[in-house]
């Protein structure tokens, strides 16, 4: 007899595993289908999706290792600490990263056990409908479900004519597991992956050249942040970033990779030992059986959903990277919770206006809400408060004073409309702005909150005071 569940989630990435756990917490029999082993040594299915296996978590582990090397080589000296003969063992660094991944992916298995979520190994796809149940094919076996949540995520977009072998020409999968530091590293795409992983390998000693199609740097960030980031990355850190280029032929030979490209006025060649292709990601809907059941996709190949992640089919929902919106783990997880709660008849909800974006470069970059350019384009009147970390005692003590916090508030209501941080711990600092905006706070509300001293969060406090032109320490 075929297995039957109230809720079956297809895909065990952050959107899917969270949806499965929340559904189980709400009293549904819940199962999660996962196809990928992510090169598990035993060939077993690995939970956690892109995020845990080849995304957020491994990249942050490598970022940390490379930051420590940078500190040892260049940061300790200002504290009077000298270390000779600093060495880096790439194998140990990669093994540490792999161990963290294993710890976390096994942790999801534990969470599934605790919450009584059944793992179904194999590729999942729609096979049809019988009465009010969906029939799914999971690795050749039929599974029945009252509700289906599609959380199949995304995969790297590749460029035509550039074959990715994940040894010499890599997407995120290969770029997280180099066995040695390439002398010359080429990167196509100055987006989040290009800048995060480009920074890792630059700190480890590679000469890094990034080729970006768009003429503007970090076009989605606030322009002031993008300008500061450009200065730090190119002038202080020595990343070579070329904007407005058109990629031509890419050839791989015995001596490495040659990337032919055009700038506005000349044809050039980049010779490198390894190449990372990081030009965005595409939704995973291949072989999902969408056509078997009439599941509607949008014009960009994503599953078409409404604000509550409902598809065009009854009792079928879709969450995470496979649907519209930013391709971010926390956005997917929120959607997973929302959908499980909606299925249970509760008022599940995601506030898409306050989803934070973070780049884990050094300095980190984080923002939530509108940029100054967006407010101008929308004709919204606003006030700005901007405070540099240089004016903060804790930042000075830490020896990390790059960057600033910029707060944008409505000129009429004072409601906070956007907060932009470039600097140390921006990823943590942004949470205060997210909470404030979620609850519709004004800059005056933040100005009246007591912030611990000495902390970097005082810069947020001062930025709020600066909106009203009354900063106390700047
Ligand atoms: P995924 O994590 O892609 O999971 C989908 C799962 O479904 C996969 O395990 C896949 O094998 C499985 N699957 C697909 N089709 C089927 C099928 N038919 N049957 C069975 N299983 C199937 N986001 C952040 O928020 N912060 C970060 O710091 C961050 N860093 C990143 C760094 C890198 C290098 C990359 C590549 C991404 C990063 N992201 C980050 C993005 C983040 O990883 C994704 O937004 C997130 O993983 C999306 O979650 P998801 O559950 O929608 O999909
Ligand atoms: P991205 O969208 O951030 O950046 C891709 C870059 O490639 C863009 O700047 C784009 O203009 C450029 N590009 C596209 N086609 C090109 C071409 N033909 N030639 C040269 N440049 C080209 O995508 P990325 O870096 O691949 O990351 C994918 C997604 O993964 C991100 O959008 C994000 O959602 C997620 N991610 C999130 C992270 C975080 O939250 N810290 C970290 C890494 C990834």
């Amino acid at each position: 007899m075929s297995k039957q569940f109230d809720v079956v989630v297809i895909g065990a990435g952050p959107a899917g595993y969270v949806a499965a756990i929340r559904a189980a917490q709400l009293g549904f029999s819940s199962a999660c289908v996962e196809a990928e082993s992510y090169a598990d040594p035993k060939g077993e299915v690995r939970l956690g999706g892109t995020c845990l296996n080849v995304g957020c978590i491994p990249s942050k582990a490598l970022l940390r290792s490379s930051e420590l090397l940078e500190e040892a080589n260049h940061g300790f000296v200002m504290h009077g600490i000298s270390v000779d003969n600093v060495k880096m063992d790439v194998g140990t660094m990669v093994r540490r990263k792999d161990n963290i991944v294993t710890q976390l992916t096994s942790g999801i298995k534990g969470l599934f056990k605790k919450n009584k979520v059944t793992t179904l190994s194999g590729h999942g796809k729609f096979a049809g409908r019988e009465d009010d149940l969906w029939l799914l094919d999971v690795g050749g076996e039929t599974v029945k479900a009252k509700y289906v949540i599609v959380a199949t995520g995304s995969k790297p977009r590749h460029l035509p004519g550039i074959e990715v072998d994940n040894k010499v020409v890599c997407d995120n999968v290969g770029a997280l597991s180099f066995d040695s530091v390439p002398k010359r590293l080429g990167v196509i795409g100055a987006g989040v992956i290009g800048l995060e992983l480009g920074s890792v390998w630059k700190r480890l000693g590679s000469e890094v050249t990034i080729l970006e199609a768009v003429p503007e740097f970090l076009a989605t960030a606030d322009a002031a942040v993008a300008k500061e980031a450009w200065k730090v990355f190119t002038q202080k850190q020595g990343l070579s970033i070329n904007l407005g280029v058109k990629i031509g032929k890419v050839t791989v030979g015995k001596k490495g990779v040659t990337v032919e490209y055009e700038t506005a006025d000349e044809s050039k060649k980049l010779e490198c030992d390894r190449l990372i292709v990081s030009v965005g990601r595409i939704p995973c809907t291949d072989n999902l059986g969408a056509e078997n059941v009439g599941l509607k996709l949008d014009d960009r190949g994503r599953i078409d959903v409404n604000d509550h992640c409902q598809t065009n089919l009854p009792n079928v929902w879709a969450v995470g990277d496979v649907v519209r919106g930013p391709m971010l783990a926390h956005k997917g997880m929120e959607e997973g919770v929302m959908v499980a709660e909606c299925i249970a008849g509760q008022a599940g909800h995601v506030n898409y206006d306050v989803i934070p974006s973070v780049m884990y470069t050094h300095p980190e970059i984080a923002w939530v809400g509108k940029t100054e350019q967006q407010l101008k384009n929308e004709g919204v009147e606003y006030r700005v408060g901007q405070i540099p970390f240089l004016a903060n005692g804790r930042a000075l003590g830490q020896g990390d004073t790059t960057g600033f916090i910029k707060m944008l508030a409505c000129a009429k209501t004072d409601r906070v409309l956007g907060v932009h941080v470039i600097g140390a711990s921006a990823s943590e600092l942004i949470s205060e702005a997210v909470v404030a905006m979620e609850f519709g706070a004004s800059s005056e509300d933040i100005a009246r909150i007591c912030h611990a001293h000495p902390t970097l969060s005082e810069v947020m406090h001062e930025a709020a005071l600066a909106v009203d032109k009354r900063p106390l320490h700047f």
Side-chain angles (χ1 to χ4, degrees):
M1 214 177 79
S2 17
K3 291 178 185 150
Q4 186 175 321
F5 299 89
D6 296 330
V7 177
V8 174
V9 183
I10 309 179
Y17 79 73
V18 166
I21 290 174
R22 187 72 189 115
Q25 287 174 347
L26 289 163
F28 295 106
S29 62
S30 166
C32 191
V33 183
E34 176 55 56
E36 184 62 73
S37 69
Y38 291 105
D40 182 272
K42 292 186 207 148
E44 283 178 15
V45 78
R46 285 186 79 147
L47 308 174
T50 305
C51 168
L52 260 56
N53 290 283
V54 288
C56 323
I57 297 300
S59 58
K60 269 79 247 180
L62 296 187
L63 279 157
R64 176 71 183 141
S65 300
S66 70
E67 283 160 9
L68 287 175
L69 180 68
E70 180 72 16
E71 282 282 292
N73 278 327
H74 305 290
F76 285 1
V77 66
M78 72 166 122
H79 300 275
I81 305 169
S82 50
V83 276
D84 294 330
N85 208 11
V86 177
K87 282 188 189 151
M88 178 80 203
D89 177 35
V90 175
T92 305
M93 175 184 78
V94 171
R95 274 194 301 281
R96 170 184 176 271
K97 179 260 307 176
D98 290 341
N99 288 339
I100 294 169
V101 168
T102 303
Q103 192 178 332
L104 286 176
T105 53
S106 317
I108 309 282
K109 278 191 185 166
L111 292 175
F112 274 8
K113 205 168 162 200
K114 178 179 163 213
N115 289 284
K116 300 192 174 51
V117 175
T118 304
T119 303
L120 301 172
S121 309
H123 182 93
K125 63 177 177 182
F126 286 95
R129 190 146 167 86
E130 190 180 272
D131 304 322
D132 63 346
L133 294 177
W134 288 105
L135 303 182
L136 301 172
D137 175 323
V138 178
E141 266 189 53
T142 301
V143 173
K144 294 181 181 176
K146 176 127 199 253
Y147 302 96
V148 178
I149 304 174
V150 183
T152 46
S154 64
K155 58 186 177 186
R157 183 165 84 86
H158 291 167
L159 293 173
I162 306 183
E163 197 183 324
V164 170
D165 62 4
N166 269 324
K167 289 191 174 74
V168 177
V169 180
C170 300
D171 56 30
N172 57 298
V173 176
L176 289 163
S177 290
F178 288 167
D179 52 4
S180 59
V181 180
K183 190 168 175 310
R184 302 160 306 170
L185 174 65
V187 179
I188 303 183
V192 211
I193 295 182
L195 291 169
E196 286 187 4
L197 294 183
S199 303
V200 166
W201 296 105
K202 171 75 193 162
R203 285 193 280 264
L204 293 176
S206 294
E207 223 171 83
V208 178
T209 306
I210 306 182
L211 303 174
E212 165 61 47
V214 172
E216 202 184 330
F217 182 58
L218 287 182
T220 52
D222 187 271
V225 169
K227 193 173 162 202
E228 177 76 2
W230 175 262
K231 206 171 68 190
V232 179
F233 296 156
T234 60
Q235 291 169 18
K236 286 197 186 155
Q237 298 179 1
L239 284 175
S240 163
I241 308 175
N242 303 275
L243 302 175
V245 310
K246 189 166 183 295
I247 304 292
K249 203 167 155 208
V250 173
T251 34
V252 181
K254 281 196 181 131
K255 288 193 178 158
V257 189
T258 306
V259 183
E260 295 175 29
Y261 65 96
E262 282 172 27
T263 63
D265 38 34
E266 54 182 335
S267 296
K268 298 179 96 170
K269 268 187 193 173
L270 168 69
E271 309 276 356
C272 52
D273 304 301
R274 276 180 172 151
L275 179 69
I276 300 178
V277 181
S278 48
V279 292
R281 296 180 63 84
I282 50 173
C284 285
T285 53
D286 346 325
N287 195 16
L288 187 59
E291 61 298 339
N292 295 343
V293 288
L295 179 64
K296 194 171 156 215
L297 306 184
D298 68 15
D299 54 355
R300 288 167 61 182
R302 303 168 299 194
I303 297 179
D304 199 25
V305 289
N306 66 12
D307 284 353
H308 284 89
C309 290
Q310 270 175 309
T311 70
N312 64 314
L313 300 176
N315 295 345
V316 178
W317 309 67
V319 293
D321 280 11
V322 79
V323 304
R324 83 286 173 267
M327 288 183 164
L328 297 173
H330 44 281
K331 173 261 192 188
M333 290 194 240
E334 287 303 307
E335 288 179 335
V337 170
M338 167 176 76
V339 164
E341 293 181 350
C342 287
I343 290 173
Q346 299 182 356
H349 165 77
V350 174
N351 184 354
Y352 288 98
D353 292 337
V354 288
I355 293 174
S357 296
V358 179
M359 281 179 48
Y360 297 82
T361 44
H362 193 91
E364 291 183 345
I365 295 173
W367 72 89
V368 58
K370 305 272 178 168
T371 62
E372 194 168 346
Q373 319 67 292
Q374 282 172 324
L375 293 177
K376 273 191 187 137
N377 291 343
E378 291 169 15
V380 177
E381 286 179 40
Y382 58 89
R383 295 193 295 167
V384 186
Q386 185 171 320
I387 299 290
F389 282 98
L390 196 55
N392 175 267
R394 186 70 188 281
L396 280 164
Q398 290 186 181
D400 203 349
T401 52
T402 308
F404 55 81
I405 298 186
K406 171 173 172 179
M407 188 174 292
L408 300 160
C410 176
K412 289 189 188 124
T413 63
D414 192 36
R415 195 175 167 143
V416 179
L417 301 174
V419 175
H420 304 271
V421 187
I422 174 166
S425 302
S427 56
E428 303 292 341
L429 291 169
I430 201 67
S431 289
E432 179 178 3
V434 175
V435 172
M437 289 179 65
E438 180 68 41
F439 292 99
S442 62
S443 76
E444 185 62 24
D445 291 329
I446 299 177
R448 292 196 177 275
I449 293 172
C450 178
H451 289 71
H453 174 78
T455 61
L456 299 176
S457 75
E458 288 174 290
V459 181
M460 187 71 78
H461 188 220
E462 291 284 330
L465 287 164
V467 169
D468 196 36
K469 299 200 171 31
R470 51 176 228 269
L472 292 165
H473 297 91
F474 185 65

